[in-house]
Amino acid sequence: MRSLIAIISTFILTSFFCVSSFAQSCGSGGGATVCLSATGTSTSINLSWTVTGAISSVQVYRDTDSNPNGRSRIATVNSNTRSYTDTTAQAGTQYWYWIKFNAGGGSYNSGAATASLVSSCAGTAITPYVFVNGVWQLTSNVQISPGTEIKLGPQPWGTWSWSGCGTSGAEREQAITPTSSCTATAVYTNACGATTSHSFNISASIGNNWASAKIGGGGYIPGLIFHPTTPDLLYARTDIGGAYRWNPTTSEWVAITDGFSASEGFHHGTESMAIDPNDNNKVYMSTGMYVNGGNGRLYISSDRGDHWSHTELPFPVGSNNQGRAIGERMMVDPNKPSIVFYGSRTAGLWKSTDSGQTWAQVTSLSSYQIPSSTFGNFDFGSPMGIEFVLFDTSTRGSGNATQAIYIGVAPDYAAVAGLPYNIYKSTNGGASWVGVVTPVAGYHIPHIARAADGMLYVAFTMGAGPGANGPGRLYKFDGTNWTLLRSVDPTEWTSFGYGGLSVYGSGATTKIALGVTNSWGNWNGIPVVEFSEDAGATWREISGNKPHTPAGGVSGWIDDVEIDPFNPDRVLHVHGGGVWVTNNASAADPSWNEMIEGIEETAAVEITTPPAGASYVLLNSSLDVGTFAHTSLQTTPTRRMPFSSGVSVDVAWSNSSYIASIGAPSNATAGAFSADSGQTWTAFASYPPEATSNLSGESNIAVSSPGNIVWAVANKKPYYTTNNGNTWVATNLPLLDAFSVNRSYHVAADRKNPNKVYAYDHGGAWWGAGGKFYYSTDGGHTFTQSTDPTLTLRANYFHNTSLEVNPNVEGDVWMADGNSLYHSTNGGLTWEKLNAMASVWGNNESWKHPELFGANTVALGKPAPGSAYSAAVYMVGTINGVQGLYRSDDMGVSWTRINDDDHQFGGVGRVAADQSIYGRVYISGGGRGILYNY
């Protein structure tokens, strides 16, 4: 309950007096008639009378009942008087009045009139409250993003009526979702009938603020990094979706790499992170998704990741290569933090003495660098190299370089570099190294942990991961002796390995958390995280089959486990879909909760919006999770087609309840339709030839009307169905030429005329022959190529090109070929090439691949108020050398950038524009899920 607070606000009070007023009561005699009436106010009772005939000797009488016996005379007035005010009446008493008069020689009475004093009835002041941004606020003026649900809840309780902004009825609290600015008026009626009105002014407009459309987690978190001296300072690195910092105040993750541009998309994955134990603001991050993509970068922040600078590394890194949870490969010397060591995948051990600005190979270990031409000789093309760096010290900040250092050498680098050991130790700061004899050889060492007493705990496993297979071994090492603590070997049905490892404390009470990888399912006794509270003497399972909220899969890629250095009861572990945490690890049955609020690491392949009035706001097909119909942007969607990976989705514009989608098969389903807005799905009875073997992200579909679908099969050609996929017929579009990259036709249905369907061949890749456009007037059965000479489409990759139709006008088509934007108003017969955008080629002109694409994605949404053109046009491209997300409200004549340098998300991929809210646009970031502006 909220207390009433008196404030100055704009309201209108209607005040009046509640009165007793009766018709005249008449009496006659002697040829005269007198009619009396009485009216009560808050201070007096007013009498008035009319006279017919001649009267004299007029007297006023009063009584407290209607019986004239016992009445009292209260006044004698002149015979010409016609009114009297009784100021002696008492509140709460009903009075009866008479006029006694003489006429024609006799004495007579008027009829009795009754009245009483009443109190003043004034309107009641309204106290305005609005529930917005999660709290009740005392305000009449609200600024929101269009489509945001808010509640209007003025005080006091009582009788209300509403108008405006979608309000209605008599409920005091009104939940509304304004899509544009509006005014809501509340009218309150109090007990005595007085009314008060109050206006709520709601301003709804899109700003340059960005939020994630919630799915939740969705991706692999290879590493978690706690700061050892600052409570709750925790980082998460991802393989493709940047990095995050934990915010303990809001209990959510904050993305700290959203400022990475499209040109930095390759660096939106993080191979290793390192913190400075002496400076809780300093953090390092190595980036580069694949070792065959060139050398990596080191990003450096002095404000916990809010801002970054970077330097080029002299070796490649592989944030999305195999073994990406191994490490950490990078470590800051706790005693002299200007020294940073890095264990590279391909070039041995490296050292920086100037906080990462410059690097030199530690040739005292090895000078060998694996040639890039041989990367493919390694498992999955992923050399593992030097797997970890560990400073063997309990001190920090001494100013002298730490002398005792351990490093781990993967079996592959050990073999090619001629290093016979998997662990080496230096006692002179890296000047020389001595091999350490390990109890097992040829294994990977995914993690090593040092206890407070200097005891080392070392996990060995056969595979590199993610989800490394076994055998697995856990040992402790006192610098001389190895003691086996835990082991696991393959069986007929399992091949568990060890991944995550963390320790807390010292001596016989050392706590150990050990992640068991490659354990899949939810069967009784499944090992996930094994926990010891006595330095490995005894063990128990604390995650598998324990209470999890929400219930769901927790096994598989348990490649990192962390015990909070400030709370040993708090244990975190990663898996293929995010992070789990328990706060009662010492309990017999620890309870676990997802720790993924704020992390959105899905990779959306296609997103689209439905027509205004649909029961959902967004459709999305994403890798690894399937296809979703989002009914809310703030909650995890429950309407889902669970493909192993969603590939494409579209909606029938004439009936938004009908949705069709395709995806990588799950339970043998590669395509399905829904007739109830995504709540239930029916698998297609059949598929086009070779469709299921060509379900890359280039395959896509278009729905012209319910049951009528065109499926563009990647690397083949489009097919159509008129019966929900019971049969498929090939279109007459040319079969795509064999190519070294996946390619497909973009297909799109006209939203006003279902007989019109459009197809765009993007030409393959930048070395292709050029693109082509085709149009159909029979529902996508047969197509005709556009021959307009204006259409000089350059070849580019599928995902750097785009085809979109204006849903508000027939035949209004837009196309982006990666370099230019084209527009047709007659279904593709003729075209206009827009000139505002242009690719930036740099040194790439000779091989036709731009450094910055001129126009690679286009989308259309609700037009601006008063716009002469029927849609707002959105484009991802480059204007005046600046790449960004742009909007045009005048059919492409002028453009406004609607994101900024802090909101680039590693490059904007797909774009969809809202059909109900002007200015609202949905984008897929680089491994950042789906984001929208507000």
Side-chain angles (χ1 to χ4, degrees):
M1 181 181 293
R2 305 184 305 281
S3 62
L4 287 174
I5 302 173
I7 65 167
I8 297 174
S9 58
T10 302
F11 57 84
I12 302 171
L13 299 180
T14 303
S15 303
F16 57 89
F17 293 114
C18 297
V19 299
S20 298
S21 180
F22 295 88
Q24 291 181 326
S25 183
C26 301
S28 302
T33 298
V34 176
C35 296
L36 175 67
S37 62
T39 301
T41 72
S42 61
T43 58
S44 64
I45 296 176
N46 300 317
L47 305 177
S48 63
W49 57 90
T50 62
V51 178
T52 304
I55 65 172
S56 62
S57 184
V58 178
Q59 300 171 331
V60 181
Y61 282 83
R62 184 182 75 181
D63 203 350
T64 56
D65 57 46
S66 59
N67 188 340
N69 295 325
R71 65 186 183 177
S72 301
R73 185 175 63 194
I74 61 173
T76 298
V77 298
N78 188 280
S79 60
N80 295 324
T81 300
R82 295 294 183 267
S83 64
Y84 177 77
T85 299
D86 180 8
T87 60
T88 64
Q90 300 296 310
T93 301
Q94 185 81 16
Y95 293 97
W96 279 259
Y97 294 88
W98 294 264
I99 298 297
K100 185 178 180 180
F101 61 92
N102 290 332
S107 180
Y108 306 97
N109 292 287
S110 69
T114 184
S116 61
L117 297 180
V118 294
S119 302
S120 174
C121 183
T124 303
I126 291 175
T127 305
Y129 284 97
V130 181
F131 188 79
V132 61
N133 297 327
V135 295
W136 285 100
Q137 299 180 21
L138 185 63
T139 185
S140 301
N141 302 303
V142 184
Q143 173 71 49
I144 63 167
S145 171
T148 301
E149 182 179 272
I150 62 174
K151 287 184 181 179
L152 308 179
Q155 296 269 4
W157 279 265
T159 302
W160 293 86
S161 62
W162 289 87
S163 63
C165 289
T167 59
S168 63
E171 293 294 326
R172 182 180 65 86
E173 289 189 1
Q174 298 279 317
I176 58 175
T177 308
T179 59
S180 59
S181 299
C182 58
T183 299
T185 302
V187 178
Y188 175 70
T189 304
N190 65 15
C192 69
T195 61
T196 310
S197 66
H198 189 94
S199 295
F200 292 87
N201 301 309
I202 300 167
S203 177
S205 61
I206 297 292
N208 188 32
N209 302 300
W210 294 86
S212 294
K214 186 172 182 180
I215 297 176
Y220 181 43
I221 309 295
L224 300 168
I225 300 92
F226 272 104
H227 196 280
T229 62
T230 302
D232 273 326
L233 182 51
L234 169 66
Y235 297 91
R237 58 178 176 89
T238 77
D239 44 12
I240 64 169
Y244 294 84
R245 183 185 66 241
W246 179 247
N247 184 338
T249 302
T250 59
S251 296
E252 63 181 359
W253 295 95
V254 177
I256 56 176
T257 50
D258 281 352
F260 282 33
S261 68
S263 62
E264 295 174 288
F266 181 73
H267 299 283
H268 210 226
T270 305
E271 181 178 77
S272 189
M273 293 186 78
I275 48 84
D276 183 341
N278 304 280
D279 180 354
N280 62 13
N281 290 313
K282 195 72 169 285
V283 59
Y284 298 85
M285 178 174 67
S286 66
T287 67
M289 289 195 187
Y290 303 100
V291 292
N292 61 3
N295 287 346
R297 282 181 180 171
L298 181 68
Y299 283 82
I300 306 168
S301 174
S302 297
D303 55 10
R304 303 188 181 187
D306 287 341
H307 302 88
W308 298 93
S309 62
H310 74 266
T311 185
E312 302 298 323
L313 290 171
F315 49 82
V317 303
S319 69
N320 203 35
N321 280 113
Q322 294 295 103
R324 50 195 179 271
I326 287 173
E328 293 294 316
R329 297 175 178 273
M330 179 167 49
M331 282 288 165
V332 176
D333 188 333
N335 287 299
K336 191 172 184 179
S338 60
I339 294 176
V340 186
F341 278 86
Y342 199 104
S344 77
R345 287 175 174 267
T346 65
L349 184 65
W350 291 73
K351 178 181 179 181
S352 172
T353 59
D354 54 8
S355 299
Q357 296 300 315
T358 60
W359 293 84
Q361 189 182 39
V362 182
T363 56
S364 57
L365 177 70
S366 174
S367 61
Y368 184 78
Q369 299 190 33
I370 301 173
S372 59
S373 61
T374 66
F375 290 170
N377 299 337
F378 295 87
D379 289 343
F380 303 100
S382 300
M384 298 301 154
I386 307 300
E387 297 185 314
F388 70 82
V389 177
L390 177 77
F391 292 96
D392 187 16
T393 179
S394 297
T395 64
R396 58 178 164 265
S398 69
N400 299 313
T402 301
Q403 297 301 295
I405 309 170
Y406 287 92
I407 60 100
V409 182
D412 57 11
Y413 189 74
V416 297
L419 297 171
Y421 299 96
N422 292 125
I423 294 179
Y424 283 81
K425 181 179 181 180
S426 175
T427 57
N428 52 16
S432 62
W433 299 87
V434 176
V436 177
V437 177
T438 54
V440 293
Y443 286 59
H444 292 283
I445 303 175
H447 286 92
I448 184 171
R450 184 183 187 277
D453 58 4
M455 184 69 71
L456 300 185
Y457 293 80
V458 187
F460 296 87
T461 200
M462 183 58 66
N469 59 289
R473 301 287 186 268
L474 176 67
Y475 284 87
K476 66 179 179 181
F477 178 54
D478 63 7
T480 302
N481 303 302
W482 293 90
T483 303
L484 180 65
L485 301 179
R486 204 75 175 144
S487 66
V488 63
D489 290 294
T491 70
E492 181 181 1
W493 305 108
T494 67
S495 184
F496 302 144
Y498 290 148
L501 174 65
S502 184
V503 301
Y504 178 96
S506 62
T509 60
T510 300
K511 292 179 171 59
I512 311 169
L514 176 65
V516 180
T517 69
N518 205 35
S519 58
W520 300 96
N522 195 30
W523 42 272
N524 189 34
I526 184 173
V528 178
V529 176
E530 297 184 335
F531 196 65
S532 174
E533 297 177 278
D534 52 14
T538 61
W539 294 84
R540 59 190 175 87
E541 173 60 38
I542 62 170
S543 180
N545 298 128
K546 303 303 179 184
H548 283 75
T549 304
V554 301
S555 60
W557 293 0
I558 317 301
D559 296 318
D560 194 21
V561 178
E562 297 294 335
I563 302 174
D564 187 332
F566 292 89
N567 178 9
D569 245 6
R570 185 186 186 208
V571 178
L572 292 67
H573 77 77
V574 304
H575 69 125
V579 183
W580 287 96
V581 61
T582 181
N583 292 304
N584 58 345
S586 61
D589 287 304
S591 56
W592 294 79
N593 293 278
E594 279 190 318
M595 192 179 176
I596 59 173
E597 194 69 31
I599 290 181
E600 297 294 341
E601 204 198 344
T602 56
V605 179
E606 185 167 64
I607 55 177
T608 190
T609 54
S615 66
Y616 52 94
V617 296
L618 180 69
L619 295 170
N620 113 64
S621 287
S622 294
L623 298 178
D624 299 326
V625 291
T627 292
F628 296 91
H630 296 254
T631 58
S632 166
L633 300 175
Q634 290 81 36
T635 57
T636 299
T638 58
R639 301 184 186 183
R640 178 190 177 205
M641 179 60 215
F643 300 117
S644 61
S645 280
V647 171
S648 181
V649 61
D650 198 20
V651 52
W653 216 250
S654 61
N655 179 2
S656 62
S657 296
Y658 186 91
I659 306 168
S661 182
I662 59 175
S666 176
N667 298 323
T669 299
F673 69 92
S674 172
D676 55 10
S677 300
Q679 297 182 74
T680 60
W681 294 83
T682 301
F684 295 151
S686 65
Y687 305 117
E690 300 184 85
T692 57
S693 59
N694 287 279
L695 270 168
S696 64
E698 288 75 17
S699 288
N700 65 109
I701 60 170
V703 177
S704 57
S705 60
N708 291 271
I709 304 164
V710 177
W711 182 336
V713 179
N715 306 308
K716 297 299 177 182
K717 65 188 305 182
Y719 292 75
Y720 69 87
T721 179
T722 59
N723 51 21
N724 285 317
N726 287 315
T727 58
W728 296 89
V729 179
T731 68
N732 69 328
L733 286 166
L735 187 70
L736 295 177
D737 296 332
F739 218 75
S740 58
V741 298
N742 286 327
R743 62 184 298 197
S744 180
Y745 290 90
H746 293 274
V747 290
D750 195 289
R751 300 310 195 183
K752 288 295 185 180
N753 184 347
N755 290 319
K756 291 186 176 181
V757 178
Y758 311 104
Y760 164 34
D761 171 12
H762 59 97
W766 55 266
W767 59 85
K772 300 178 181 67
F773 178 83
Y774 301 82
Y775 55 88
S776 169
T777 58
D778 59 4
H781 303 178
T782 59
F783 287 82
T784 301
Q785 183 178 348
S786 175
T787 58
D788 183 359
T790 303
L791 204 60
T792 55
L793 298 168
R794 298 189 72 151
N796 269 310
Y797 296 109
F798 180 89
H799 294 293
N800 294 130
T801 56
S802 178
L803 172 66
E804 187 80 1
V805 295
N806 183 348
N808 303 309
V809 178
E810 180 180 337
D812 197 351
V813 188
W814 294 76
M815 187 163 45
D817 72 348
N819 297 284
S820 302
L821 188 62
Y822 293 84
H823 180 210
S824 173
T825 58
N826 55 13
L829 295 176
T830 60
W831 293 85
E832 176 191 5
K833 182 178 181 180
L834 281 72
N835 298 316
M837 58 292 305
S839 295
V840 175
W841 298 95
N843 297 320
N844 297 350
E845 178 66 38
S846 61
W847 48 291
K848 302 180 182 179
H849 184 280
E851 291 183 355
L852 298 176
F853 287 97
N856 54 319
T857 306
V858 61
L860 291 96
K862 183 177 180 178
S867 172
Y869 182 55
S870 57
V873 185
Y874 300 87
M875 178 200 68
V876 178
T878 305
I879 296 178
N880 295 324
V882 178
Q883 189 172 61
L885 174 63
Y886 291 87
R887 185 189 70 239
S888 174
D889 295 325
D890 53 12
M891 206 164 62
V893 175
S894 60
W895 296 87
T896 300
R897 187 182 179 193
I898 60 174
N899 71 328
D900 57 27
D901 288 350
D902 291 332
H903 300 94
Q904 302 185 84
F905 313 110
V908 176
R910 298 294 92 189
V911 178
D914 200 286
Q915 307 302 324
S916 301
I917 302 172
Y918 164 69
R920 167 66 53 77
V921 65
Y922 306 90
I923 64 174
S924 65
R928 280 282 285 117
I930 299 169
L931 301 113
Y932 64 95
N933 56 339
Y934 66 95

